[in-house]
């Protein structure tokens, strides 16, 4: 395996870092409230970074999402790429790809996903969906939502045809409650589509968590190197060093497992267990890192307006979104025991 970015992937990552670093400042994020940053999203799409994922693959997307996580930029990057661009590219019909992908690539269409907890939605023989999904991240921004029914079939629904009510999460993800009442949906893919899209989502959001953790740790390192106590920087204390070192190792574990799962998907290899491994690290280690980042800020970390608190909220929300560690670990164990590791 080789996780070295290609020239195209590295260029896209560096461009994303510049755009997000310039636009996603703490002041702009605070002004955006719980909604998305339309200007930053427009800039990312205009730079071709969303459309580029079709060529750079899942590993390229993970690299881009790391940069988003470092700044906690409030844009539906992960959702629209995973549930829109990659899902339709891999499982959509030729007509669906030609109709939907250009809009997703240029940002005029945004896709979010309701796939992590199938069972609340049913589809009749005519392809009309009924049910409620209590929380769908980025629903308020979306033109389409990819929905999994109780038989784990995927359907693409126009949000204009459904009822979408705002829901506030701990992290500002423009979430909503999706209510379907005989809502028309178009099928996406066959029986294997759900498992692939779920594994792709786990990998991508683990990459996002790696960036959130890296950003939290970077802020903690800066704070402890400049904050002095009794004439010495906090970073000189062994306890601080050990806590930061543990957080660094956890962050690297999230990153490398996400890279491996993404690389395997791009290479056409089985990656379901690897995606679950990445999700477990992102859930378990992710919450440890963002707690450490806030703790290392001391009393400053208790300030809800401090930028490090945003990383804390994102880290805990991603932990909940991916599923708690024990649930993910149980699913991983069952998959390994079954011997059905093919995606």
């Amino acid at each position: 395996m080789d996780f070295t970015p290609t020239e195209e992937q590295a260029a896209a990552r560096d461009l994303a870092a510049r755009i997000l670093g310039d636009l996603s400042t703490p002041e702009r994020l605070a002004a955006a409230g719980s909604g998305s940053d339309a200007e930053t999203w427009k800039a990312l799409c205009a730079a071709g970074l969303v459309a580029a994922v079709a060529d750079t693959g899942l590993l390229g997307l993970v690299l881009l999402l790391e940069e988003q996580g470092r700044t906690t930029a409030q844009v539906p990057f992960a959702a629209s790429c995973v549930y829109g661009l990659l899902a339709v590219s891999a499982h959509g019909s030729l007509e669906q790809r030609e109709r939907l992908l250009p809009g997703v690539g240029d940002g005029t269409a945004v896709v979010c996903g309701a796939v992590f907890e199938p069972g609340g939605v049913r589809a009749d023989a005519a392809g009309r969906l009924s049910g409620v999904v209590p929380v769908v991240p980025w629903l308020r921004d979306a033109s389409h939502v990819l929905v999994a029914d109780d038989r784990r079939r995927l359907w693409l629904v126009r949000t204009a045809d459904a009822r979408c009510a705002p829901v506030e999460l701990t992290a500002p993800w423009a979430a909503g409650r999706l209510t379907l009442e005989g809502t028309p949906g178009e099928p996406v893919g066959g029986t294997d589509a759900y498992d692939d899209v779920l594994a792709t989502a786990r990998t991508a959001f683990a990459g996002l968590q790696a960036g959130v953790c890296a950003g939290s740790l970077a802020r903690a390192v800066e704070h402890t190197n400049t904050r002095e106590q009794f004439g010495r920087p906090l970073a000189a204390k062994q306890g601080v060093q050990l806590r930061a070192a543990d957080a660094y190792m956890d962050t690297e574990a999230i990153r490398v497992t996400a890279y491996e799962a993404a690389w395997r998907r791009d290479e056409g290899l089985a990656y379901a267990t690897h995606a679950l491994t990445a999700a477990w690290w992102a859930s378990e280690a992710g919450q440890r890192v963002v707690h450490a980042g806030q703790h290392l800020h001391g009393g400053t970390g208790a300030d809800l307006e401090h930028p490090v608190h945003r990383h804390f909220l994102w880290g805990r929300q991603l932990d909940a979104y991916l599923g708690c560690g024990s649930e993910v670990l149980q699913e991983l164990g069952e998959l390994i025991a079954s011997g059905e590791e093919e995606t």
Side-chain angles (χ1 to χ4, degrees), residues 121-263:
V121 175
R122 297 180 180 274
D124 63 20
R128 294 189 172 274
L129 309 178
S130 297
V132 176
V133 183
V135 177
V136 181
W138 307 110
L139 181 63
R140 282 181 269 164
D141 293 333
S143 57
H144 298 78
V145 54
L146 190 68
V147 179
D149 68 13
D150 59 336
R151 296 170 60 186
R152 298 196 172 196
R153 297 173 298 179
L154 295 178
W155 304 85
L156 197 63
V157 175
R158 294 196 318 148
T159 53
D161 297 331
R163 284 200 289 124
C164 306
V167 171
E168 296 299 330
L169 303 179
T170 53
W173 287 359
R177 176 186 177 91
L178 178 69
T179 302
L180 305 170
E181 299 171 317
T183 306
E186 55 177 308
V188 177
T191 56
D192 62 336
Y194 174 82
D195 288 338
D196 178 58
V197 170
L198 181 60
T200 300
R202 282 170 166 155
T203 304
F205 282 96
L208 183 60
Q209 181 76 301
V212 169
C213 292
S216 175
L217 184 57
R219 291 188 181 280
V221 168
E222 180 182 10
H223 175 79
T224 56
N225 273 289
T226 55
R227 178 77 169 177
E228 292 189 354
Q229 188 177 61
F230 305 117
R232 298 177 63 201
L234 291 174
K237 297 181 179 295
Q238 188 178 51
V240 171
Q241 294 171 3
L242 292 173
R243 190 76 188 275
D246 286 342
Y248 174 79
M249 294 304 296
D250 274 337
T251 301
E252 288 300 295
I254 300 169
R255 176 182 289 115
V256 73
T257 52
Y259 282 8
E260 182 178 15
W263 175 82

Side-chain angles (χ1 to χ4, degrees), residues 27-337:
E27 294 75 21
R28 283 177 56 85
L29 292 172
S34 64
S36 294
D37 186 339
E39 183 178 343
T40 299
W41 180 240
K42 182 179 179 180
L44 292 169
C45 293
L49 290 172
V50 177
V53 172
D55 298 318
T56 61
L58 182 55
L59 181 56
L61 176 59
V62 167
L63 293 171
L64 295 174
L65 293 179
E66 275 194 85
E67 300 307 322
Q68 180 188 358
R70 291 179 201 277
T71 61
T72 61
Q74 291 174 203
V75 290
F77 205 147
S80 204
C81 286
V82 168
Y83 303 120
L85 195 139
L86 292 179
V88 174
S89 295
H91 303 288
S93 66
L94 176 61
E95 186 277 331
Q96 286 175 324
R97 294 196 300 270
E98 292 178 342
R99 170 167 50 90
L100 296 169
L101 292 181
V104 176
D106 65 21
T108 55
V110 173
V111 185
C112 63
V115 303
F116 268 88
E117 296 182 7
V121 175
R122 297 180 180 274
D124 63 20
R128 294 189 172 274
L129 309 178
S130 297
V132 176
V133 183
V135 177
V136 181
W138 307 110
L139 181 63
R140 282 181 269 164
D141 293 333
S143 57
H144 298 78
V145 54
L146 190 68
V147 179
D149 68 13
D150 59 336
R151 296 170 60 186
R152 298 196 172 196
R153 297 173 298 179
L154 295 178
W155 304 85
L156 197 63
V157 175
R158 294 196 318 148
T159 53
D161 297 331
R163 284 200 289 124
C164 306
V167 171
E168 296 299 330
L169 303 179
T170 53
W173 287 359
R177 176 186 177 91
L178 178 69
T179 302
L180 305 170
E181 299 171 317
T183 306
E186 55 177 308
V188 177
T191 56
D192 62 336
Y194 174 82
D195 288 338
D196 178 58
V197 170
L198 181 60
T200 300
R202 282 170 166 155
T203 304
F205 282 96
L208 183 60
Q209 181 76 301
V212 169
C213 292
S216 175
L217 184 57
R219 291 188 181 280
V221 168
E222 180 182 10
H223 175 79
T224 56
N225 273 289
T226 55
R227 178 77 169 177
E228 292 189 354
Q229 188 177 61
F230 305 117
R232 298 177 63 201
L234 291 174
K237 297 181 179 295
Q238 188 178 51
V240 171
Q241 294 171 3
L242 292 173
R243 190 76 188 275
D246 286 342
Y248 174 79
M249 294 304 296
D250 274 337
T251 301
E252 288 300 295
I254 300 169
R255 176 182 289 115
V256 73
T257 52
Y259 282 8
E260 182 178 15
W263 175 82
R264 291 183 66 89
R265 182 189 189 274
D266 292 342
E267 293 295 314
L269 302 172
Y271 74 108
T273 56
H274 300 79
L276 280 164
T277 301
W280 182 83
W281 275 105
S283 177
E284 286 285 294
Q287 57 90 12
R288 287 198 299 265
V289 174
V290 296
H291 273 272
Q294 195 164 23
H295 187 199
L296 288 172
H297 278 76
T300 305
D303 182 0
L304 301 186
E305 303 301 320
H306 194 281
V308 77
H309 187 66
R310 188 176 297 273
H311 290 270
F312 175 80
L313 295 179
W314 274 63
R316 292 313 306 260
Q317 192 66 58
L318 281 165
D319 170 27
Y321 186 60
L322 289 165
C324 75
S326 58
E327 292 176 337
V328 175
L329 194 60
Q330 179 180 350
E331 186 177 348
L332 175 59
E334 291 172 351
L335 182 58
I336 293 173

